Amino acid sequence: DGGITQSPKYLFRKEGQNVTLSCEQNLNHDAMYWYRQDPGQGLRLIYYSQIVNDFQKGDIAEGYSVSREKKESFPLTVTSAQKNPTAFYLCASSNPREGTETQYFGPGTRLLVL
Amino acid sequence: QKEVEQDPGPLSVPEGAIVSLNCTYSNSAFQYFMWYRQYSRKGPELLMYTYSSGNKEDGRFTAQVDKSSKYISLFIRDSQPSDSATYLCAMSGGTGFQKLVFGTGTRLLVSP
């Protein structure tokens, strides 16, 4: 059963702490993405990766970091430099070789600050 | 001006009504158009995908693209309470690797 999984569902961060959100896909997609969703602001792109070992900053990359060591995995670290991390984080993947630009989303991780 | 504009709603309709959801955009290079449905606290789910202009129908859902007006629509026939969700439009286009640009979403409430 192909899809995208994100964990944990809820994550609590203390002041000054780095936290890592997991994203795994078994769709054999080349491209993966991280978005942040805040009420009334839609989806904002944090980072994206077109291929293993390569990634680019999106529109709001400050305070975040990623890695892409495996095709299936694209973890996102929210660093202590991100001063307002409370949001709903969504991971997505796509297969640009299909030529459709369609992205498929995971269930999301809600990050809350203690 | 945002590249993609979408009325946030909420749009409230009675069960059985025909619903029209819309987005306007400014980038004439867009040629791939998508509609996603997002239930509260869940990830967006792809509903419809359309390439270039025209209509596409899937069950109770019809997606319409008018590139000359830079306007896309999603129609829902015989709306059900289970259709209550936020609907996001998304689009991309141009040469090479292109990111999706999303609307902010329209919240739909279908009352029984």
Side-chain angles (χ1 to χ4, degrees):
Chain A
D1 197 19
I4 302 175
T5 57
Q6 290 185 242
S7 62
K9 190 172 181 179
Y10 295 95
L11 187 57
F12 299 92
R13 195 191 91 163
K14 294 180 182 177
E15 199 75 35
Q17 186 182 39
N18 291 355
V19 293
T20 297
L21 285 61
S22 169
C23 177
E24 303 277 332
Q25 55 98 359
N26 60 5
L27 299 168
N28 199 32
H29 285 172
D30 288 323
M32 297 186 74
Y33 313 79
W34 274 106
Y35 292 91
R36 170 179 172 143
Q37 189 174 35
D38 296 277
Q41 294 201 49
L43 294 170
R44 292 186 289 169
L45 183 64
I46 303 172
Y47 267 98
Y48 65 101
S49 168
Q50 294 176 251
I51 200 166
V52 175
N53 293 322
D54 185 55
F55 50 83
Q56 287 80 39
K57 292 182 179 179
D59 302 316
I60 55 163
E62 186 175 348
Y64 300 97
S65 66
V66 294
S67 63
R68 186 84 187 277
E69 297 175 2
K70 296 188 299 182
K71 187 175 184 177
E72 302 80 20
S73 179
F74 191 40
L76 173 74
T77 297
V78 183
T79 74
S80 57
Q82 173 50 245
K83 297 307 179 187
N84 184 23
T86 297
F88 190 47
Y89 290 86
L90 289 160
C91 178
S93 71
S94 71
N95 190 0
R97 284 178 288 175
E98 288 179 357
T100 67
E101 314 297 333
T102 304
Q103 293 183 16
Y104 298 89
F105 285 85
T109 292
R110 188 163 298 275
L111 177 60
L112 300 165
V113 177
L114 293 176
Chain B
Q1 184 190 4
K2 292 181 180 178
E3 271 191 296
V4 179
E5 298 276 1
Q6 188 175 10
D7 189 324
L11 176 61
S12 296
V13 301
E15 183 175 356
I18 296 174
V19 174
S20 173
L21 303 165
N22 312 295
C23 287
T24 59
Y25 63 94
S26 57
N27 188 341
S28 58
F30 288 152
Q31 50 188 334
Y32 302 97
F33 303 92
M34 281 140 269
W35 285 96
Y36 288 85
R37 177 175 63 194
Q38 185 177 24
Y39 291 113
S40 182
R41 300 177 184 271
K42 303 289 185 184
E45 166 195 12
L46 180 68
L47 266 182
M48 300 284 284
Y49 160 77
T50 310
Y51 171 70
S52 194
S53 284
N55 292 1
K56 187 173 183 178
E57 189 173 320
D58 184 2
R60 296 185 296 113
F61 299 90
T62 300
Q64 197 171 77
V65 175
D66 182 350
K67 290 188 71 179
S68 61
S69 302
K70 297 190 180 68
Y71 189 87
I72 70 170
S73 301
L74 177 71
F75 298 97
I76 307 174
R77 291 183 298 279
D78 188 25
S79 57
Q80 303 295 309
S82 59
D83 294 327
S84 298
T86 296
Y87 290 80
L88 301 159
C89 64
M91 48 198 81
S92 71
T95 56
F97 184 84
Q98 295 294 324
K99 296 174 285 183
L100 274 186
V101 180
F102 287 86
T104 53
T106 298
R107 188 172 169 216
L108 172 65
L109 302 171
V110 182
S111 54

